[in-house]
Amino acid sequence: MALEKWFNTIGCVVDVIYISKKGVFTKRRIRVLSVRDGYIRAFCLDSGAQRVFLSANVLAAELVNRDVS
């Protein structure tokens, strides 16, 4: 999956379009915390909480900031 290249940079900020288990589409801005076994653990900047995303359900991603500081 080409989108995973950004998810390998821990700390980067990425805008994602995601489809939930219930079929709801959302756009979120996330800071990647870890990637493991097909899951992305991230801090959602929109909700202010940690979230876990199934990488297969990420429909689109755009790098916002590669700076990990």
Side-chain angles (χ1 to χ4, degrees):
M1 172 185 225
L3 302 175
E4 291 178 351
K5 66 183 176 181
W6 292 323
F7 299 138
N8 291 328
T9 305
I10 304 305
C12 70
V13 177
V14 180
D15 281 342
V16 296
I17 296 177
Y18 183 80
I19 185 166
S20 71
K21 291 178 186 179
K22 295 180 180 181
V24 177
F25 292 89
T26 60
K27 180 181 178 192
R28 296 180 180 259
R29 181 163 287 186
I30 61 172
R31 179 175 303 277
V32 178
L33 301 175
S34 68
V35 179
R36 184 174 172 183
D37 298 328
Y39 290 92
I40 303 159
R41 189 170 57 89
F43 183 80
C44 179
L45 300 171
D46 298 323
S47 68
Q50 280 194 28
R51 298 282 189 252
V52 177
F53 301 92
L54 182 61
S55 62
N57 288 359
V58 175
L59 304 176
E62 180 178 18
L63 183 64
V64 174
N65 189 347
R66 188 182 306 263
D67 183 18
V68 296
S69 60

